[in-house]
Amino acid sequence: MKVSSEVKFALKKGLPVVALESTIISHGMPYPKNVQTALAVEAVIRDHGAVPATIGIIDGEAIVGMSPEEIEEFGKRKGIKKVSRRDLPIVFARKEWGATTVAATMILANMAGIEVFVTGGVGGAHRGAQETFDISADLEELARTNVTVVSAGVKAILDLNLTLEILETKGVPVLSYQTDEFADFYTRHSGIKMENVINSPLEAAKIIKAKRDNKLDGGLLIANPIPEEFAMDTKVINGAIEKALKMADEAGVKGKDVTPFLLKTIVELTGGDSLESNIKLVLNNAALGAEIAKELCKL
Ligand code: PSU
Ligand code: MN
């Protein structure tokens, strides 16, 4: 693995570092907004006094702390593989490029010694998962890898209740930031009441530290709702989601293509509005993630 000199230095000095994924760049947003967003997210993290480490795989080598040129390439290049845990050895051995999902990014962040990771939304149990078993490997990773993931809850395209049940079974603490309602990505209102609300980055850091100190392996999920002013209208987004799910079904989209297909279709159906919300929520998560990383370093 290649860790950038900036990230290496920060880790050595015990400075706050925040990991970022690359699937959101290569498969989550269209070019050039994907690149602009990835760079803007890094800037927010720096503004908050932490060091960003965007993670991906180039020619079979894991990169922790991509350069702006590398981020540009991840945004532009066609055919970069979406890489989750199961794909890592294949991409390493074949010396391919890989855009890492939440799961794969957690693994690489953990290897590098990074404890906090910011994304848009983690994967979860898809609607109908009781039958299809389409449950993101991100949930398995949260169960086993010691990285805290800051996410705008869980994407509304999924089955949120089922996802939360699985996280409970797997022993993953879910902390809801400054609200007792679970964030559903595009809006703040899933209607699901959360048991554990945190009101500050310090509170999150204390819980992360308690998990670490007590050797309770696995990650934590911080559900950080999109700010109200950037949220989608519930009716509009739910309509688009229903339609996109139907289109995915009719087109026979399966496996790892489901999430990228739905995100892209929802952007088209909302005339780009869902993309704007998506960008804003990632930036919002970046600020919180950096603050949590900072508090964690102080403890
Ligand atoms: N959330 C986004 N955009 C994305 C993803 C999540 O806003 O592109 C990606 C993440 O990389 C996440 C992946 O890990 O989707 C989940 O894919 P799947 O459902 O196939 O596990
Ligand atoms: Mn899946």
Side-chain angles (χ1 to χ4, degrees), residues 126 134-136 255-256:
H126 284 262
D134 190 351
I135 301 167
S136 176
K256 68 198 274 189

Side-chain angles (χ1 to χ4, degrees), residues 62 80 85 89 98 113 126 138 191 196 256 268 278:
I80 298 184
R85 171 180 276 271
H126 284 262
D138 294 352
N196 298 300
K256 68 198 274 189
E268 288 161 9
N278 194 348

Side-chain angles (χ1 to χ4, degrees), residues 21-27 29 31 34-35 38 54-59 61 63 66-81 96-100:
E21 59 152 312
S22 44
T23 290
I24 193 169
I25 306 174
S26 300
H27 299 276
M29 292 181 191
Y31 182 80
N34 54 358
V35 173
T54 300
I55 295 178
I57 300 163
I58 296 179
D59 294 331
E61 184 179 40
I63 308 292
M66 281 189 209
S67 67
E69 294 73 27
E70 286 166 340
I71 288 174
E72 171 79 21
E73 193 59 29
F74 267 81
K76 235 198 292 199
R77 193 185 269 244
K78 295 267 174 283
I80 298 184
K81 204 180 212 163
E96 292 172 339
W97 285 58
T100 50

